[in-house]
Amino acid sequence: MLRHTILLSFCAAVSLTAFSAAHAADSDTTTPPAATETTTTCTDGKIWSDEKKECIAPEDLKPAEGTGDETPEEQKKSERRIDDKLYEAAREFAYAGQYENALRALRAARDQEDPRILNYLGYNTRKLGNMQLGMSYYRRALQKDENYILARSYMGQALIEQGDIEGARVQLVEIRDRGGENTWAYRALLQSLGGERASY
C-alpha cells in the first residue's frame, strides 16, 4: 500500500512538472502582436477599449459590471481578463518601442506577482536602461515559476549585454532541460550567443 502511494505521488509530481514546462513553453510566442488602435490611434499610453470604442487609461480598465452575486472565482477570472488585456497592450507598446507606455500598462495589472507581468516589467525596464532593476524583475518571475522559459531567455540576453556569457549559457541549458529546446525562447538566446550551443 505504501509503495502504491509513493508511486502515485511520484507520477503526480512528474505530471505536474511536465504540465508546468508545457505551460511555460505555451507562453513562448514568436509572433509579434498586431498593431491595434492602442498604438495607431491612442496617445499618452492609453489603451483601446473594444467595448467602449475609445482610448482609456490603463488604470481605468475595470472588469465588466456584474450583478453583485459573482463568486470569488468569477471575480478572479474577470480580473485575469483585464490583466491579459494589459499584458497584450504592454507587448504591443514594447514592440512599438514605447517602453514607458508598456510599463504603465503593466503597473495597472491587478496581479503584480504574475510571472508574465514581472518578466515584461524586467524587459521594458532593461530597455529603458535600468539593467539592475530589470534583472531583479526576471529573478522574481523565476521565483514565481522556475519553468517560465521566456524569463530565462530575456535574462540570458541581459546577461550577454553585461558580458556574462557563462551565465547566459546556464540559462540556455535551463531552457533546454525544461523542455524548451524547440521554442522561440531557446532560439533567441542561442542566436544571441552567436549560435553556440552549451554542451553541459
Side-chain angles (χ1 to χ4, degrees):
M1 179 68 176
L2 179 61
R3 185 174 169 195
H4 180 72
T5 304
I6 291 171
L7 184 59
L8 281 176
S9 297
F10 174 76
C11 289
V14 168
S15 297
L16 186 59
T17 302
F19 172 77
S20 294
H23 177 68
D26 250 5
S27 55
D28 173 62
T29 181
T30 58
T31 311
T36 69
E37 289 89 343
T38 293
T39 52
T40 61
T41 303
C42 300
T43 57
D44 302 323
K46 291 184 177 175
I47 296 171
W48 181 257
S49 168
D50 285 327
E51 295 82 18
K52 295 184 177 182
K53 302 293 183 211
E54 65 181 4
C55 301
I56 62 172
E59 302 81 9
D60 293 338
L61 272 181
K62 304 251 187 295
E65 288 295 318
T67 59
D69 49 338
E70 291 84 12
T71 66
E73 185 61 33
E74 289 168 332
Q75 288 172 348
K76 272 198 181 300
K77 279 184 185 174
S78 186
E79 288 178 4
R80 174 67 180 210
R81 281 192 292 274
I82 296 298
D83 282 1
D84 289 346
K85 285 181 184 178
L86 290 164
Y87 174 75
E88 288 305 322
R91 283 190 74 231
E92 186 178 340
F93 282 133
Y95 271 86
Q98 298 179 34
Y99 305 120
E100 290 283 3
N101 289 340
L103 287 175
R104 181 180 176 191
L106 293 165
R107 289 179 182 133
R110 272 59 170 181
D111 185 0
Q112 289 292 302
E113 294 302 310
D114 181 332
R116 299 174 311 158
I117 301 296
L118 290 167
N119 180 49
Y120 243 58
L121 282 167
Y123 176 81
N124 288 285
T125 301
R126 180 183 122 217
K127 288 296 185 180
L128 286 167
N130 193 337
M131 182 67 75
Q132 189 175 359
L133 182 57
M135 291 297 281
S136 73
Y137 282 125
Y138 293 141
R139 283 191 289 274
R140 281 175 58 195
L142 291 172
Q143 284 171 351
K144 295 293 175 187
D145 181 0
E146 64 185 16
N147 290 314
Y148 193 32
I149 60 175
L150 200 53
R152 291 190 178 280
S153 182
Y154 284 152
M155 178 184 266
Q157 292 168 51
L159 289 167
I160 292 168
E161 287 175 31
Q162 297 173 83
D164 185 358
I165 305 304
E166 192 59 30
R169 286 186 183 138
V170 167
Q171 291 307 319
L172 186 69
V173 170
E174 288 285 348
I175 293 168
R176 181 199 68 198
D177 291 352
R178 293 167 193 279
E181 192 165 2
N182 295 314
T183 63
W184 178 89
Y186 184 87
R187 289 189 305 274
L189 182 51
L190 181 65
Q191 184 177 11
S192 296
L193 283 163
E196 253 184 85
R197 284 179 182 270
S199 58
Y200 49 88

